[in-house]
Short mmCIF file of all heavy atoms in Angstrom, two decimals:
data_model
loop_
_atom_site.label_atom_id
_atom_site.label_comp_id
_atom_site.label_asym_id
_atom_site.label_seq_id
_atom_site.Cartn_x
_atom_site.Cartn_y
_atom_site.Cartn_z
N MET C 53 138.10 92.97 105.37
CA MET C 53 137.69 92.55 106.71
C MET C 53 136.98 91.21 106.62
O MET C 53 136.06 91.03 105.90
CB MET C 53 136.74 93.62 107.24
CG MET C 53 136.22 93.35 108.59
SD MET C 53 135.25 94.52 109.31
CE MET C 53 136.06 96.09 109.21
N THR C 54 137.42 90.38 107.54
CA THR C 54 136.75 89.12 107.60
C THR C 54 135.38 89.12 108.14
O THR C 54 135.02 90.05 108.88
CB THR C 54 137.54 88.02 108.24
OG1 THR C 54 137.68 88.41 109.65
CG2 THR C 54 138.94 87.99 107.71
N ALA C 55 134.42 88.05 107.81
CA ALA C 55 133.27 88.01 108.41
C ALA C 55 133.20 87.98 109.86
O ALA C 55 132.36 88.56 110.56
CB ALA C 55 132.41 86.94 107.64
N LEU C 56 134.17 87.12 110.31
CA LEU C 56 134.21 87.00 111.80
C LEU C 56 134.62 88.23 112.59
O LEU C 56 134.07 88.56 113.54
CB LEU C 56 135.23 85.83 112.23
CG LEU C 56 135.30 85.37 113.63
CD1 LEU C 56 133.90 84.94 114.02
CD2 LEU C 56 136.35 84.29 113.74
N ARG C 57 135.46 88.97 111.97
CA ARG C 57 135.97 90.24 112.50
C ARG C 57 134.83 91.20 112.57
O ARG C 57 134.61 91.84 113.64
CB ARG C 57 137.14 90.91 111.74
CG ARG C 57 137.55 92.21 112.35
CD ARG C 57 138.46 92.95 111.56
NE ARG C 57 139.81 92.38 111.56
CZ ARG C 57 140.80 92.82 110.87
NH1 ARG C 57 140.69 93.64 109.93
NH2 ARG C 57 142.03 92.27 110.94
N SER C 58 134.07 91.20 111.46
CA SER C 58 132.75 92.05 111.50
C SER C 58 131.93 91.62 112.65
O SER C 58 131.29 92.55 113.26
CB SER C 58 132.07 92.03 110.15
OG SER C 58 132.97 92.44 109.06
N LYS C 59 131.61 90.35 112.72
CA LYS C 59 130.60 89.91 113.97
C LYS C 59 131.07 90.36 115.23
O LYS C 59 130.37 90.88 116.01
CB LYS C 59 130.53 88.42 113.80
CG LYS C 59 129.75 87.89 112.66
CD LYS C 59 129.70 86.44 112.58
CE LYS C 59 128.93 85.88 111.42
NZ LYS C 59 128.85 84.37 111.44
N TYR C 60 132.42 90.30 115.49
CA TYR C 60 133.00 90.64 116.72
C TYR C 60 132.90 92.15 116.93
O TYR C 60 132.67 92.67 117.94
CB TYR C 60 134.46 90.12 116.87
CG TYR C 60 134.56 88.82 117.29
CD1 TYR C 60 134.97 87.73 116.45
CD2 TYR C 60 134.23 88.41 118.69
CE1 TYR C 60 135.00 86.45 116.92
CE2 TYR C 60 134.30 87.00 119.01
CZ TYR C 60 134.73 86.08 118.14
OH TYR C 60 134.77 84.76 118.55
N GLN C 61 133.16 92.94 115.86
CA GLN C 61 132.97 94.37 115.90
C GLN C 61 131.51 94.83 116.28
O GLN C 61 131.31 95.66 117.11
CB GLN C 61 133.43 95.10 114.67
CG GLN C 61 134.96 95.07 114.58
CD GLN C 61 135.46 95.75 113.32
OE1 GLN C 61 134.76 95.98 112.40
NE2 GLN C 61 136.78 96.11 113.27
N VAL C 62 130.49 94.21 115.56
CA VAL C 62 129.12 94.47 115.89
C VAL C 62 128.84 94.08 117.30
O VAL C 62 128.22 94.84 118.03
CB VAL C 62 128.30 93.77 114.84
CG1 VAL C 62 126.78 93.93 115.33
CG2 VAL C 62 128.46 94.34 113.42
N SER C 63 129.32 92.94 117.77
CA SER C 63 129.06 92.46 119.08
C SER C 63 129.56 93.45 120.13
O SER C 63 128.92 93.80 121.14
CB SER C 63 129.66 91.05 119.29
OG SER C 63 129.54 90.56 120.64
N ALA C 64 130.72 93.88 119.96
CA ALA C 64 131.44 94.86 120.85
C ALA C 64 130.66 96.18 120.86
O ALA C 64 130.45 96.71 121.99
CB ALA C 64 132.85 95.18 120.43
N GLN C 65 130.17 96.58 119.71
CA GLN C 65 129.39 97.94 119.65
C GLN C 65 128.16 97.68 120.36
O GLN C 65 127.66 98.70 121.05
CB GLN C 65 129.14 98.21 118.18
CG GLN C 65 130.41 98.75 117.50
CD GLN C 65 130.03 99.34 116.09
OE1 GLN C 65 128.99 99.86 115.86
NE2 GLN C 65 130.95 98.97 115.14
N MET C 66 127.46 96.57 120.24
CA MET C 66 126.24 96.34 120.98
C MET C 66 126.45 96.37 122.53
O MET C 66 125.64 96.91 123.33
CB MET C 66 125.63 94.97 120.62
CG MET C 66 125.21 94.96 119.08
SD MET C 66 124.71 93.41 118.54
CE MET C 66 123.07 93.18 119.37
N LEU C 67 127.48 95.64 122.98
CA LEU C 67 127.82 95.60 124.33
C LEU C 67 128.13 97.05 124.94
O LEU C 67 127.71 97.43 126.02
CB LEU C 67 128.90 94.65 124.64
CG LEU C 67 128.63 93.24 124.47
CD1 LEU C 67 129.89 92.56 124.52
CD2 LEU C 67 127.62 92.80 125.54
N ASN C 68 128.88 97.86 124.13
CA ASN C 68 129.19 99.23 124.56
C ASN C 68 128.04 100.05 124.54
O ASN C 68 127.92 100.91 125.56
CB ASN C 68 130.19 99.75 123.66
CG ASN C 68 131.69 99.16 123.83
OD1 ASN C 68 131.97 98.55 124.85
ND2 ASN C 68 132.45 99.18 122.70
N ALA C 69 127.15 99.89 123.68
CA ALA C 69 125.96 100.77 123.55
C ALA C 69 125.03 100.51 124.73
O ALA C 69 124.48 101.41 125.45
CB ALA C 69 125.17 100.51 122.32
N ARG C 70 124.90 99.17 125.12
CA ARG C 70 123.96 98.84 126.26
C ARG C 70 124.66 99.30 127.50
O ARG C 70 123.94 99.97 128.42
CB ARG C 70 123.83 97.26 126.35
CG ARG C 70 123.04 96.87 127.48
CD ARG C 70 122.51 95.40 127.37
NE ARG C 70 123.59 94.51 127.38
CZ ARG C 70 124.18 94.06 128.55
NH1 ARG C 70 123.84 94.57 129.62
NH2 ARG C 70 125.15 93.10 128.44
N ALA C 71 126.04 99.27 127.68
CA ALA C 71 126.79 99.78 128.88
C ALA C 71 126.53 101.33 128.99
O ALA C 71 126.28 101.75 130.07
CB ALA C 71 128.12 99.31 128.80
N ARG C 72 126.64 101.99 127.84
CA ARG C 72 126.45 103.48 127.88
C ARG C 72 125.11 103.83 128.29
O ARG C 72 124.86 104.85 128.94
CB ARG C 72 126.73 104.11 126.49
CG ARG C 72 128.19 104.28 126.10
CD ARG C 72 128.38 105.15 124.96
NE ARG C 72 127.61 104.68 123.86
CZ ARG C 72 127.96 103.95 122.90
NH1 ARG C 72 129.12 103.35 122.92
NH2 ARG C 72 127.19 103.58 121.86
N ALA C 73 124.10 102.91 127.84
CA ALA C 73 122.66 103.32 128.22
C ALA C 73 122.49 102.94 129.71
O ALA C 73 121.32 103.28 130.25
CB ALA C 73 121.81 102.54 127.24
N GLY C 74 123.34 102.15 130.25
CA GLY C 74 123.12 101.69 131.71
C GLY C 74 122.05 100.70 131.85
O GLY C 74 121.27 100.66 132.83
N LEU C 75 121.90 99.81 130.87
CA LEU C 75 120.82 98.86 130.81
C LEU C 75 121.21 97.44 130.96
O LEU C 75 122.27 97.07 130.42
CB LEU C 75 120.00 99.00 129.44
CG LEU C 75 119.40 100.38 129.16
CD1 LEU C 75 118.83 100.39 127.71
CD2 LEU C 75 118.34 100.75 130.17
N SER C 76 120.39 96.64 131.69
CA SER C 76 120.68 95.16 131.76
C SER C 76 120.06 94.53 130.54
O SER C 76 119.25 95.11 129.78
CB SER C 76 120.06 94.70 133.11
OG SER C 76 118.65 94.70 132.90
N GLN C 77 120.51 93.27 130.37
CA GLN C 77 120.01 92.43 129.37
C GLN C 77 118.43 92.27 129.52
O GLN C 77 117.68 92.28 128.44
CB GLN C 77 120.69 91.14 129.22
CG GLN C 77 122.00 91.21 128.57
CD GLN C 77 122.75 89.83 128.53
OE1 GLN C 77 122.35 88.82 129.18
NE2 GLN C 77 123.72 89.68 127.52
N ASP C 78 118.04 92.20 130.79
CA ASP C 78 116.54 91.98 131.00
C ASP C 78 115.79 93.25 130.60
O ASP C 78 114.68 93.11 129.88
CB ASP C 78 116.33 91.90 132.55
CG ASP C 78 116.72 90.46 133.00
OD1 ASP C 78 116.52 89.50 132.25
OD2 ASP C 78 117.25 90.40 134.11
N VAL C 79 116.34 94.46 130.73
CA VAL C 79 115.57 95.67 130.27
C VAL C 79 115.55 95.72 128.82
O VAL C 79 114.57 96.09 128.18
CB VAL C 79 116.23 96.97 130.99
CG1 VAL C 79 115.64 98.25 130.34
CG2 VAL C 79 116.04 96.90 132.51
N VAL C 80 116.73 95.57 128.15
CA VAL C 80 116.87 95.53 126.70
C VAL C 80 115.78 94.47 126.09
O VAL C 80 115.07 94.75 125.21
CB VAL C 80 118.14 95.26 126.18
CG1 VAL C 80 118.28 95.05 124.72
CG2 VAL C 80 119.13 96.36 126.58
N ALA C 81 115.75 93.31 126.76
CA ALA C 81 114.88 92.25 126.27
C ALA C 81 113.48 92.71 126.39
O ALA C 81 112.64 92.48 125.40
CB ALA C 81 115.09 90.94 127.10
N SER C 82 113.11 93.33 127.50
CA SER C 82 111.76 93.86 127.65
C SER C 82 111.36 94.94 126.66
O SER C 82 110.24 94.87 126.04
CB SER C 82 111.61 94.38 129.06
OG SER C 82 110.32 95.05 129.20
N ARG C 83 112.42 95.79 126.32
CA ARG C 83 112.06 96.87 125.28
C ARG C 83 111.80 96.27 123.95
O ARG C 83 111.25 96.94 123.10
CB ARG C 83 113.12 97.90 125.35
CG ARG C 83 113.20 98.71 126.63
CD ARG C 83 114.32 99.72 126.60
NE ARG C 83 114.37 100.62 127.72
CZ ARG C 83 115.17 101.75 127.65
NH1 ARG C 83 116.01 102.04 126.78
NH2 ARG C 83 115.07 102.47 128.88
N MET C 84 112.61 95.06 123.68
CA MET C 84 112.59 94.56 122.41
C MET C 84 111.43 93.54 122.20
O MET C 84 111.11 93.16 121.12
CB MET C 84 113.85 93.77 122.11
CG MET C 84 115.05 94.64 121.94
SD MET C 84 116.59 93.65 121.59
CE MET C 84 116.20 92.94 119.93
N GLY C 85 110.75 93.18 123.41
CA GLY C 85 109.73 92.28 123.35
C GLY C 85 110.34 90.77 123.07
O GLY C 85 109.68 89.99 122.45
N THR C 86 111.41 90.55 123.80
CA THR C 86 112.01 89.18 123.67
C THR C 86 112.51 88.78 125.00
O THR C 86 112.21 89.36 126.03
CB THR C 86 113.11 89.26 122.56
OG1 THR C 86 113.61 87.88 122.30
CG2 THR C 86 114.38 90.07 122.98
N THR C 87 113.37 87.80 125.00
CA THR C 87 113.83 87.17 126.35
C THR C 87 115.37 87.62 126.51
O THR C 87 116.02 88.00 125.56
CB THR C 87 113.87 85.63 126.23
OG1 THR C 87 114.72 85.36 125.29
CG2 THR C 87 112.39 85.14 126.12
N ARG C 88 115.81 87.67 127.66
CA ARG C 88 117.17 87.89 128.08
C ARG C 88 118.11 86.98 127.42
O ARG C 88 119.09 87.41 126.90
CB ARG C 88 117.35 87.79 129.56
CG ARG C 88 118.72 88.30 130.03
CD ARG C 88 119.24 87.78 131.21
NE ARG C 88 119.34 86.31 131.25
CZ ARG C 88 120.11 85.43 130.65
NH1 ARG C 88 121.15 85.97 129.77
NH2 ARG C 88 120.00 84.12 130.64
N SER C 89 117.77 85.73 127.33
CA SER C 89 118.65 84.78 126.50
C SER C 89 118.74 85.17 125.02
O SER C 89 119.86 85.04 124.43
CB SER C 89 118.19 83.37 126.69
OG SER C 89 116.92 83.08 126.23
N ALA C 90 117.71 85.61 124.46
CA ALA C 90 117.83 86.03 123.06
C ALA C 90 118.77 87.32 122.93
O ALA C 90 119.56 87.45 121.95
CB ALA C 90 116.38 86.45 122.56
N VAL C 91 118.75 88.15 123.93
CA VAL C 91 119.55 89.36 123.87
C VAL C 91 121.00 88.88 124.06
O VAL C 91 121.98 89.34 123.38
CB VAL C 91 119.22 90.41 124.95
CG1 VAL C 91 120.23 91.45 125.16
CG2 VAL C 91 117.83 91.02 124.67
N SER C 92 121.21 87.91 124.90
CA SER C 92 122.53 87.37 125.22
C SER C 92 123.11 86.87 123.90
O SER C 92 124.24 87.02 123.61
CB SER C 92 122.49 86.33 126.31
OG SER C 92 123.75 85.80 126.54
N ARG C 93 122.27 86.05 123.20
CA ARG C 93 122.72 85.46 121.86
C ARG C 93 123.11 86.58 120.92
O ARG C 93 124.00 86.50 120.21
CB ARG C 93 121.75 84.54 121.39
CG ARG C 93 121.60 83.16 121.99
CD ARG C 93 120.68 82.18 121.29
NE ARG C 93 119.40 82.66 121.08
CZ ARG C 93 118.32 82.48 121.99
NH1 ARG C 93 118.58 81.87 123.12
NH2 ARG C 93 117.17 83.09 121.64
N LEU C 94 122.34 87.60 120.89
CA LEU C 94 122.59 88.79 119.97
C LEU C 94 123.86 89.25 120.25
O LEU C 94 124.62 89.78 119.16
CB LEU C 94 121.47 89.77 120.10
CG LEU C 94 120.19 89.57 119.41
CD1 LEU C 94 119.22 90.69 119.85
CD2 LEU C 94 120.27 89.42 117.95
N GLU C 95 124.21 89.46 121.46
CA GLU C 95 125.39 90.19 121.93
C GLU C 95 126.65 89.19 121.82
O GLU C 95 127.81 89.71 122.04
CB GLU C 95 125.29 90.65 123.38
CG GLU C 95 124.27 91.79 123.45
CD GLU C 95 124.14 92.24 124.87
OE1 GLU C 95 124.50 91.59 125.86
OE2 GLU C 95 123.53 93.33 125.03
N THR C 96 126.48 88.02 121.55
CA THR C 96 127.50 87.06 121.33
C THR C 96 127.99 86.88 119.86
O THR C 96 127.01 86.33 119.13
CB THR C 96 127.19 85.68 121.97
OG1 THR C 96 126.85 85.99 123.45
CG2 THR C 96 128.41 84.79 122.01
N ALA C 97 129.19 87.22 119.50
CA ALA C 97 129.61 86.86 118.12
C ALA C 97 129.68 85.40 117.94
O ALA C 97 130.40 84.72 118.64
CB ALA C 97 130.84 87.54 117.81
N GLY C 98 128.90 84.94 117.11
CA GLY C 98 128.92 83.45 116.91
C GLY C 98 128.35 83.00 115.54
O GLY C 98 128.63 83.72 114.53
N LYS C 99 127.75 81.84 115.49
CA LYS C 99 127.39 81.27 114.24
C LYS C 99 126.20 82.11 113.48
O LYS C 99 126.10 82.23 112.29
CB LYS C 99 126.78 79.85 114.37
CG LYS C 99 127.72 78.91 114.96
CD LYS C 99 126.99 77.52 115.19
CE LYS C 99 127.94 76.57 115.89
NZ LYS C 99 127.32 75.34 116.02
N HIS C 100 125.26 82.74 114.33
CA HIS C 100 124.12 83.43 113.76
C HIS C 100 124.35 84.93 113.59
O HIS C 100 124.74 85.58 114.68
CB HIS C 100 122.89 83.12 114.54
CG HIS C 100 122.71 81.66 114.79
ND1 HIS C 100 122.30 80.79 113.71
CD2 HIS C 100 122.84 80.80 115.68
CE1 HIS C 100 122.16 79.61 114.14
NE2 HIS C 100 122.53 79.53 115.41
N ALA C 101 124.17 85.48 112.45
CA ALA C 101 124.24 86.98 112.32
C ALA C 101 122.85 87.54 112.34
O ALA C 101 121.91 87.07 111.71
CB ALA C 101 124.78 87.26 110.96
N PRO C 102 122.56 88.48 113.23
CA PRO C 102 121.24 89.08 113.36
C PRO C 102 120.79 89.87 112.09
O PRO C 102 121.67 90.37 111.34
CB PRO C 102 121.31 89.93 114.60
CG PRO C 102 122.82 90.29 114.70
CD PRO C 102 123.53 89.01 114.24
N SER C 103 119.56 89.80 111.77
CA SER C 103 119.08 90.64 110.61
C SER C 103 119.19 92.12 110.95
O SER C 103 119.28 92.53 112.17
CB SER C 103 117.55 90.19 110.38
OG SER C 103 116.84 90.75 111.49
N LEU C 104 119.15 92.92 109.98
CA LEU C 104 119.15 94.41 110.11
C LEU C 104 117.96 94.79 110.90
O LEU C 104 118.14 95.72 111.74
CB LEU C 104 119.20 95.01 108.76
CG LEU C 104 119.50 96.51 108.79
CD1 LEU C 104 120.81 96.88 109.43
CD2 LEU C 104 119.64 96.98 107.24
N SER C 105 116.80 94.16 110.71
CA SER C 105 115.62 94.69 111.52
C SER C 105 115.86 94.34 113.02
O SER C 105 115.43 95.02 113.83
CB SER C 105 114.32 94.02 110.94
OG SER C 105 114.39 92.59 111.05
N THR C 106 116.49 93.10 113.33
CA THR C 106 116.73 92.78 114.67
C THR C 106 117.69 93.84 115.28
O THR C 106 117.59 94.31 116.47
CB THR C 106 117.25 91.35 114.82
OG1 THR C 106 116.25 90.53 114.29
CG2 THR C 106 117.54 91.00 116.23
N LEU C 107 118.82 94.06 114.59
CA LEU C 107 119.83 95.13 115.05
C LEU C 107 119.06 96.49 115.19
O LEU C 107 119.41 97.27 116.16
CB LEU C 107 120.90 95.34 113.99
CG LEU C 107 121.83 94.22 113.90
CD1 LEU C 107 122.85 94.34 112.76
CD2 LEU C 107 122.52 93.94 115.26
N LYS C 108 118.13 96.84 114.40
CA LYS C 108 117.49 98.18 114.52
C LYS C 108 116.57 98.11 115.90
O LYS C 108 116.60 98.92 116.58
CB LYS C 108 116.51 98.25 113.41
CG LYS C 108 115.46 99.40 113.50
CD LYS C 108 116.09 100.75 113.20
CE LYS C 108 114.98 101.82 112.99
NZ LYS C 108 114.72 102.36 114.25
N ARG C 109 115.92 96.93 116.16
CA ARG C 109 115.29 96.80 117.33
C ARG C 109 116.10 97.00 118.60
O ARG C 109 115.78 97.62 119.61
CB ARG C 109 114.30 95.52 117.44
CG ARG C 109 113.18 95.58 116.51
CD ARG C 109 112.40 94.24 116.50
NE ARG C 109 112.28 93.48 117.76
CZ ARG C 109 112.52 92.30 117.89
NH1 ARG C 109 112.94 91.50 117.06
NH2 ARG C 109 112.32 91.70 119.12
N TYR C 110 117.21 96.34 118.50
CA TYR C 110 118.27 96.38 119.62
C TYR C 110 118.81 97.84 119.82
O TYR C 110 118.78 98.31 120.90
CB TYR C 110 119.44 95.43 119.32
CG TYR C 110 120.43 95.43 120.41
CD1 TYR C 110 120.32 94.43 121.35
CD2 TYR C 110 121.45 96.38 120.55
CE1 TYR C 110 121.24 94.33 122.44
CE2 TYR C 110 122.33 96.31 121.56
CZ TYR C 110 122.32 95.32 122.48
OH TYR C 110 123.19 95.40 123.55
N ALA C 111 119.05 98.39 118.70
CA ALA C 111 119.51 99.80 118.72
C ALA C 111 118.46 100.72 119.41
O ALA C 111 118.74 101.68 120.22
CB ALA C 111 119.87 100.40 117.31
N ASP C 112 117.15 100.64 118.92
CA ASP C 112 116.09 101.45 119.48
C ASP C 112 115.97 101.11 121.05
O ASP C 112 115.85 102.14 121.85
CB ASP C 112 114.82 100.99 118.87
CG ASP C 112 114.68 101.53 117.51
OD1 ASP C 112 115.50 102.47 117.06
OD2 ASP C 112 113.73 101.13 116.80
N ALA C 113 116.27 99.83 121.44
CA ALA C 113 116.07 99.53 122.88
C ALA C 113 117.19 100.16 123.69
O ALA C 113 116.94 100.46 124.92
CB ALA C 113 116.12 98.01 123.00
N VAL C 114 118.41 100.43 123.10
CA VAL C 114 119.54 101.02 123.86
C VAL C 114 119.66 102.47 123.48
O VAL C 114 120.71 103.08 123.73
CB VAL C 114 120.82 100.41 123.69
CG1 VAL C 114 120.62 98.76 124.35
CG2 VAL C 114 121.29 100.06 122.17
N ASP C 115 118.70 103.11 122.91
CA ASP C 115 118.57 104.55 122.53
C ASP C 115 119.79 104.85 121.49
O ASP C 115 120.42 105.87 121.76
CB ASP C 115 118.64 105.39 123.79
CG ASP C 115 117.46 105.16 124.77
OD1 ASP C 115 116.37 104.91 124.24
OD2 ASP C 115 117.65 105.13 125.91
N CYS C 116 119.84 104.00 120.57
CA CYS C 116 120.88 104.27 119.49
C CYS C 116 120.14 104.19 118.14
O CYS C 116 119.00 103.89 118.10
CB CYS C 116 121.92 103.24 119.57
SG CYS C 116 123.13 103.49 120.99
N GLU C 117 120.94 104.48 117.08
CA GLU C 117 120.41 104.26 115.75
C GLU C 117 121.46 103.40 114.95
O GLU C 117 122.65 103.48 115.34
CB GLU C 117 120.17 105.66 114.97
CG GLU C 117 121.39 106.48 114.81
CD GLU C 117 121.16 107.80 114.13
OE1 GLU C 117 120.19 108.48 114.48
OE2 GLU C 117 122.02 108.24 113.29
N ILE C 118 121.09 102.79 113.89
CA ILE C 118 121.88 102.14 113.05
C ILE C 118 122.34 102.98 111.93
O ILE C 118 121.55 103.69 111.30
CB ILE C 118 121.14 100.74 112.43
CG1 ILE C 118 120.59 99.89 113.57
CG2 ILE C 118 121.80 100.15 111.37
CD1 ILE C 118 121.79 99.01 114.13
N GLN C 119 123.61 102.93 111.64
CA GLN C 119 124.09 103.55 110.49
C GLN C 119 124.95 102.35 109.69
O GLN C 119 125.77 101.66 110.15
CB GLN C 119 125.21 104.60 110.83
CG GLN C 119 124.50 105.73 111.47
CD GLN C 119 125.47 106.85 111.75
OE1 GLN C 119 126.68 106.70 111.68
NE2 GLN C 119 124.98 107.98 112.27
N VAL C 120 124.59 102.27 108.39
CA VAL C 120 125.23 101.40 107.51
C VAL C 120 126.09 101.99 106.51
O VAL C 120 125.56 103.00 105.84
CB VAL C 120 124.29 100.39 106.71
CG1 VAL C 120 124.88 99.47 105.79
CG2 VAL C 120 123.43 99.60 107.79
N THR C 121 127.39 101.74 106.30
CA THR C 121 128.22 102.43 105.46
C THR C 121 128.89 101.35 104.58
O THR C 121 129.37 100.39 105.07
CB THR C 121 129.26 103.18 106.15
OG1 THR C 121 128.69 104.14 107.03
CG2 THR C 121 130.20 103.90 105.13
N LEU C 122 128.78 101.55 103.25
CA LEU C 122 129.42 100.71 102.30
C LEU C 122 130.84 101.28 101.96
O LEU C 122 130.84 102.39 101.40
CB LEU C 122 128.68 100.43 101.10
CG LEU C 122 127.33 99.68 101.31
CD1 LEU C 122 126.58 99.60 99.93
CD2 LEU C 122 127.49 98.39 101.90
N VAL C 123 132.00 100.60 102.26
CA VAL C 123 133.30 101.14 101.97
C VAL C 123 133.97 100.42 100.90
O VAL C 123 133.92 99.14 101.03
CB VAL C 123 134.06 101.13 103.41
CG1 VAL C 123 135.45 101.63 103.21
CG2 VAL C 123 133.26 101.84 104.47
N PRO C 124 134.51 101.07 99.92
CA PRO C 124 135.14 100.41 98.90
C PRO C 124 136.27 99.56 99.41
O PRO C 124 137.02 100.03 100.35
CB PRO C 124 135.73 101.56 98.01
CG PRO C 124 134.92 102.72 98.29
CD PRO C 124 134.53 102.51 99.69
N GLN C 125 136.56 98.38 98.91
CA GLN C 125 137.58 97.56 99.19
C GLN C 125 138.87 98.16 98.73
O GLN C 125 138.94 98.74 97.78
CB GLN C 125 137.38 96.09 98.77
CG GLN C 125 136.16 95.37 99.30
CD GLN C 125 136.10 94.04 98.86
OE1 GLN C 125 136.92 93.44 98.18
NE2 GLN C 125 134.91 93.38 99.17
N LYS C 126 139.97 97.79 99.43
CA LYS C 126 141.33 98.26 99.11
C LYS C 126 141.77 97.52 97.76
O LYS C 126 142.48 98.13 96.94
CB LYS C 126 142.26 98.21 100.10
CG LYS C 126 141.97 99.01 101.30
CD LYS C 126 143.03 99.06 102.24
CE LYS C 126 142.57 99.89 103.52
NZ LYS C 126 143.44 99.87 104.64
N LYS C 127 141.42 96.28 97.53
CA LYS C 127 141.86 95.52 96.43
C LYS C 127 140.82 95.81 95.31
O LYS C 127 139.74 96.04 95.59
CB LYS C 127 142.07 94.17 96.77
CG LYS C 127 140.83 93.43 97.25
CD LYS C 127 141.01 91.93 97.52
CE LYS C 127 139.71 91.36 97.98
NZ LYS C 127 139.93 89.95 98.40
N THR C 128 141.32 95.63 94.09
CA THR C 128 140.48 95.83 92.94
C THR C 128 140.09 94.42 92.43
O THR C 128 140.70 93.52 92.58
CB THR C 128 141.05 96.56 91.84
OG1 THR C 128 142.21 95.93 91.45
CG2 THR C 128 141.55 98.00 92.19
N ARG C 129 138.70 94.30 91.96
CA ARG C 129 138.21 93.08 91.47
C ARG C 129 138.04 93.20 89.93
O ARG C 129 137.63 94.25 89.50
CB ARG C 129 136.83 92.82 92.09
CG ARG C 129 136.88 92.39 93.55
CD ARG C 129 135.68 92.00 94.03
NE ARG C 129 135.73 91.56 95.42
CZ ARG C 129 134.72 90.92 96.12
NH1 ARG C 129 133.54 90.81 95.53
NH2 ARG C 129 134.92 90.65 97.28
N ASN C 130 138.28 92.06 89.22
CA ASN C 130 138.06 92.14 87.88
C ASN C 130 136.50 91.89 87.70
O ASN C 130 135.96 90.99 88.38
CB ASN C 130 138.89 91.16 87.20
CG ASN C 130 140.31 91.39 87.28
OD1 ASN C 130 140.71 92.55 87.30
ND2 ASN C 130 141.13 90.40 87.32
N ALA C 131 136.02 92.51 86.71
CA ALA C 131 134.55 92.39 86.45
C ALA C 131 134.14 91.07 85.85
O ALA C 131 134.91 90.39 85.22
CB ALA C 131 133.96 93.51 85.54
#
């Protein structure tokens, strides 16, 4: 999976979680202690990847939890 694809998947999950929670960016920002524009940047797949702690704060704000899974790659690598 490419890094860009991963960013778009995370962005889509964030948008879906906020929509399921029925929250505006303003409300999420308030819950996170940040600004609406910062939330907008988080939800936009782009140059900057949010830290795990920022993703955790966002997840808490939209009443979700973070799950990280390491999945073996299909191709094999030489040591």
